[in-house]
Amino acid sequence: MDYRSIEINEINALNQTVIEDQAQVDAAMANMDYYIRRGKSERARVTLNGLRAIRNSIRGLFA
């Protein structure tokens, strides 16, 4: 694909949406923030569990 053939107006047109109900947009943004926080906490939990497993494995090598 030749990127030089795309006009900037075509790219801008792809990102335009019509907001009909601002309350729905606000609710969606609040939910998005909730899921982002939840995802970060889940990632931290998985990382911590992984580190604990590595620590226990190393401990098992020297026990």
Side-chain angles (χ1 to χ4, degrees), residues 30-54:
N31 286 338
M32 185 176 70
D33 291 340
Y34 166 75
Y35 287 117
I36 288 172
R37 283 192 311 271
R38 191 169 154 192
K40 286 180 179 180
S41 66
E42 179 65 15
R43 186 171 49 235
R45 186 188 66 77
V46 169
T47 301
L48 184 59
N49 286 343
L51 291 173
R52 285 180 179 150
I54 292 170

Side-chain angles (χ1 to χ4, degrees), residues 6-62:
I6 298 175
E7 293 183 16
I8 192 69
N9 291 330
E10 293 175 18
I11 295 171
N12 288 337
L14 295 174
N15 293 326
Q16 293 181 359
T17 58
V18 177
I19 298 174
E20 295 179 6
D21 187 5
Q22 187 62 38
Q24 285 181 336
V25 173
D26 293 340
M29 293 302 289
N31 286 338
M32 185 176 70
D33 291 340
Y34 166 75
Y35 287 117
I36 288 172
R37 283 192 311 271
R38 191 169 154 192
K40 286 180 179 180
S41 66
E42 179 65 15
R43 186 171 49 235
R45 186 188 66 77
V46 169
T47 301
L48 184 59
N49 286 343
L51 291 173
R52 285 180 179 150
I54 292 170
R55 181 188 67 193
N56 291 337
S57 296
I58 292 171
R59 214 181 258 168
L61 291 173
F62 296 104

